[in-house]
């Protein structure tokens, strides 16, 4: 089982991640989306497809739904257009399971300074800190809308639970999904 970070696992993805995190303060939302599409396509071709073809399980921290939530719902880009470009960038690779750790926006913003490891959500990155509470609420609502549109793929877990409870729920759902394969 492999897990991948998007963007970041491929060499191109690492460069794009650095550009998005530390590049110009203002990146046009469409440019931002296309950077993520480029990183995603590279990730799929370089890592995910070969792993899947060999029968391995792949876990990806963020994938195409993130572009819809952040650049579509959050930044206001056309969802239909993003879905269309997304469909090209993922080359038919769709997740069997998407786990959404849901938390009210105000709670997640309070926790943000305590997050370690994933700096896309921390205060020193450009992607969403500068956008304010309204942006975060739009992104959360976007994820919830996406989950309603495909309830067989999505599992929503209450992220206000204790870490061990969250881990238990995730493990239970993943095992159920693997059993159903």
């Amino acid at each position: 089982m492999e897990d991948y970070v998007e963007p970041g696992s491929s060499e191109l993805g690492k460069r794009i991640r650095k550009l998005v995190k530390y590049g110009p303060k203002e990146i046009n939302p469409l440019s931002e989306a296309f950077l993520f599409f480029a990183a995603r396509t590279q990730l799929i071709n370089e890592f995910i497809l070969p792993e899947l073809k060999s029968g391995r399980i792949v876990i990806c921290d963020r994938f195409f739904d993130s572009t819809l939530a952040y650049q579509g719902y959050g930044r206001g880009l056309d969802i239909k257009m993003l879905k269309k470009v997304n469909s090209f960038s993922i080359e038919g690779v769709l997740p069997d399971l998407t786990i959404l750790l849901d938390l009210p926006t105000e709670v997640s913003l309070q926790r943000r300074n305590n997050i370690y490891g994933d700096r896309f959500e921390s205060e020193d990155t450009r992607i969403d800190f500068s956008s304010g509470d309204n942006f975060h609420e739009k992104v959360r609502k976007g994820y919830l809308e996406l989950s309603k549109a495909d309830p067989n793929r999505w599992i929503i877990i209450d992220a206000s639970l204790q870490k061990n409870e969250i881990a238990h729920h995730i493990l239970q759902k993943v095992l159920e999904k693997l059993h159903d394969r």
Side-chain angles (χ1 to χ4, degrees), residues 131-178:
S131 301
D133 294 346
N134 190 30
F135 173 78
H136 292 279
E137 188 59 29
K138 286 192 254 182
V139 169
R140 178 176 183 243
K141 286 180 180 178
Y143 274 121
L144 294 171
E145 285 292 318
L146 292 167
S147 70
K148 286 179 191 170
D150 193 359
N152 292 326
R153 179 171 57 93
W154 286 79
I155 294 168
I156 301 173
I157 296 177
D158 180 357
S160 68
L161 299 171
Q162 296 295 315
K163 287 180 186 180
N164 62 338
E165 291 176 279
I166 293 170
H168 173 76
H169 287 299
I170 291 172
L171 180 60
Q172 179 183 6
K173 296 299 183 181
V174 168
L175 291 174
E176 287 173 16
K177 193 60 128 177
L178 288 172

Side-chain angles (χ1 to χ4, degrees), residues 2-21:
E2 294 291 329
D3 71 349
Y4 296 103
V5 176
E6 187 189 83
S9 293
S10 69
E11 189 59 38
L12 177 64
K14 289 175 188 172
R15 290 177 183 209
I16 290 173
R17 184 178 183 87
K18 187 175 182 180
L19 177 64
V20 172
K21 287 175 68 169

Side-chain angles (χ1 to χ4, degrees), residues 78-90:
D78 182 79
I79 299 293
K80 287 182 183 179
M81 180 273 301
L82 289 173
K83 285 182 178 181
K84 190 172 220 170
V85 178
N86 241 343
S87 70
F88 290 110
S89 75
I90 63 171

